[in-house]
Amino acid sequence: MKLSVIGAGYVGLTTAACLAQIGHDVFCSESDLDKLAKLQNGVMPLFEPHLEDVIEGVRKVGRLHFGSTEDAIVWGDAIFICVGTPPLANGDADLHAIEAVARTIAKRATGYRLVIEKSTVPVQTGAQLRKHLSVHGTNGSKYDVASNPEFLREGSSVEDFLHPDRIVIGADSPRATDLLREIYEPIVQQRFDCPIHSDCPKRKKPIFLATDTNSAELIKHASNSFLAMKISFINMVANLCEAVGADVTKVAQGMGLDPRIGPAFLNPGIGFGGFCFPKDVQAFIRIAEKSGCDFSLLREVEKINQRRVEHFVEQVRNELWVLRGKKIAVWGLAFKPNTDDVRFAPALSIIRSLQAEGARIQAYDPEAMEKAKNEIPDLTYCQNAYEAAKGADAVLLLTEWEEFRAIDWKRLGGLMERSLIVDGRNALSPDDLTSYGFHYVGIGGVSGTPQELTSLVNG
Ligand code: UDX
């Protein structure tokens, strides 16, 4: 089928590439001309595992094209809107980019178009879109509007798109529902050339959930807000574990064994970040407020998350006493591993707090340093984890990249001023580190002190 995708961010680029991968003929547009030129010249504007290979592969066989929004609107029978909906100052989602696309569709489209919201939008946006298209429609075009929220995670977006747990669509016409079922059929049947795994046919088939537009729009915000709530819950439990001398890892394990709770998203740490959870929780609070519902629960989720940064800095202060003049190594800047994205990354807030107290930061991240330099230019960026730890009074692990688990601890011990690791993600093993003489401080009561230090302290 000929499909159009408007917007080439994480969601748009993954959607366009994967729809082409499963066999559709896709035209993807981008209004940022620099980014568009990069894409047309085969240069990736972002780091995302597998995505570059998929794009290269489908462009080679002529199933993916990049160009202007106008050309995209003329191209496909179905148009996926994947433009950004960043937060406004009051927390509402900024919908001006969606409106601008709708206006262009109304002017340019001829014949029938299925307009699909894939960006994260507040409930009832579909109704607004439908009205807007009919008011501004000039060419006697017929429109259907549908919602098709995306649940992909950065760092695994290609896998999440091709092997989802569910595909949610919200449409108010059988024609629109049938068209979306046809578009996603290869994924529902798990019948496509998978760029990641060889044994795909055996994979679990996703559920195709067809509902009305409002419900589909709410599923997205409710899902992200629920996951954010789960993280804030375990972060509060972590504080309690620190206060009463329990181990949050064990508590989370015990909770997660109950299938009604499940082990996912029970990893305590320095708080959730990224371009989705913080803004979606805010937007959901606002949506509820405007509908007369006081979602105070989510306000608490936000407060708990905001306090994670100060809580972690306090832990570092407790270990280092005076922060001024201390040399601190930071491992990880991205809001999570396998992405170069530093938007709303807790690591950057922690660095700013430490710098404000006069600490000198030496940072390393495998992928996100270029983007971090735009946010915090005045800190030392290092080539690798060892260089960052040179002469440091402490190493802070702020993003759980796999490579930090494979560090040569003996070598590291020889480089640091003091063998202290403060792990903001509980990514490392206290036993391993203490066996190399490190003092280890994790989240939620997880810690370790090397034998000789213990005997020194206990005399
Ligand atoms: C999220 C949703 O998972 C995805 O379904 C949606 O489409 C977009 O938003 P993403 O923002 O890429 O995806 O990241 P995710 O993996 O969900 O992590 C979000 C944040 O929560 C990260 O900062 C991560 O470090 C943190 N997190 C996650 C925790 O602190 N603990 C956990 O147990 C899980």
Side-chain angles (χ1 to χ4, degrees), residues 307-325:
R307 286 201 296 262
R308 294 313 290 165
V309 167
E310 185 37 42
H311 182 82
F312 183 79
V313 171
E314 179 60 20
Q315 271 188 300
V316 177
R317 214 182 278 119
N318 288 345
E319 295 303 326
L320 292 178
W321 193 14
V322 178
L323 291 179
R324 188 143 59 81

Side-chain angles (χ1 to χ4, degrees), residues 24 34 86 99 179 185 187 221 254 279 285 325 355 400 450:
H24 297 297
D34 286 351
E99 194 217 22
L179 209 47
E185 189 62 10
I187 292 183
H221 272 120
K279 82 172 169 75
I285 292 170
Q355 284 185 315
E400 65 278 29

Side-chain angles (χ1 to χ4, degrees), residues 124-279:
Q124 294 169 334
T125 300
Q128 286 288 5
L129 251 180
R130 210 169 281 119
K131 198 167 73 188
H132 199 87
L133 289 166
S134 59
V135 168
H136 293 281
T138 49
N139 315 326
S141 302
K142 292 262 168 298
Y143 299 103
D144 270 325
V145 171
S147 164
N148 173 219
E150 186 45 58
F151 303 101
L152 60 83
R153 294 161 296 168
E154 290 183 29
S156 58
S157 72
V158 172
E159 172 145 10
D160 291 348
F161 192 97
L162 295 174
H163 304 296
D165 303 313
R166 82 277 208 207
I167 294 169
V168 173
I169 69 122
D172 303 322
S173 91
R175 182 177 184 178
T177 304
D178 294 347
L179 209 47
L180 278 159
R181 205 183 283 281
E182 194 185 334
I183 290 170
Y184 280 111
E185 189 62 10
I187 292 183
V188 172
Q189 300 307 330
Q190 287 291 294
R191 230 189 8 254
F192 54 82
D193 291 340
C194 180
I196 304 174
H197 319 96
S198 53
D199 65 344
C200 268
K202 298 195 208 72
R203 284 177 179 269
K204 189 164 73 43
K205 294 186 174 163
I207 305 290
F208 186 87
L209 175 65
T211 177
D212 63 281
T213 313
N214 287 343
S215 305
E217 289 165 336
L218 271 184
I219 289 173
K220 173 67 188 203
H221 272 120
S223 302
N224 269 3
S225 300
F226 186 89
L227 292 171
M229 178 184 71
K230 216 176 164 182
I231 297 168
S232 281
F233 187 91
I234 200 65
N235 280 333
M236 276 316 292
V237 173
N239 287 4
L240 193 52
C241 287
E242 286 165 15
V244 301
D247 176 342
V248 71
T249 321
K250 295 286 176 252
V251 176
Q253 191 186 6
M255 290 168 61
L257 290 169
D258 181 332
R260 295 168 301 171
I261 301 172
F265 282 61
L266 282 181
N267 306 320
I270 53 177
F272 56 77
F275 199 58
C276 294
F277 282 5
K279 82 172 169 75

Side-chain angles (χ1 to χ4, degrees), residues 8 13 30 33-47 51-52 55-56 59 66:
L13 211 44
E30 172 53 51
L33 297 180
D34 286 351
K35 206 167 161 185
L36 179 59
K38 273 190 176 163
L39 287 164
Q40 288 169 327
N41 298 316
V43 180
M44 283 296 287
L46 51 89
F47 169 79
L51 190 53
E52 186 162 7
I55 290 175
E56 215 175 289
R59 290 193 78 198
F66 292 109

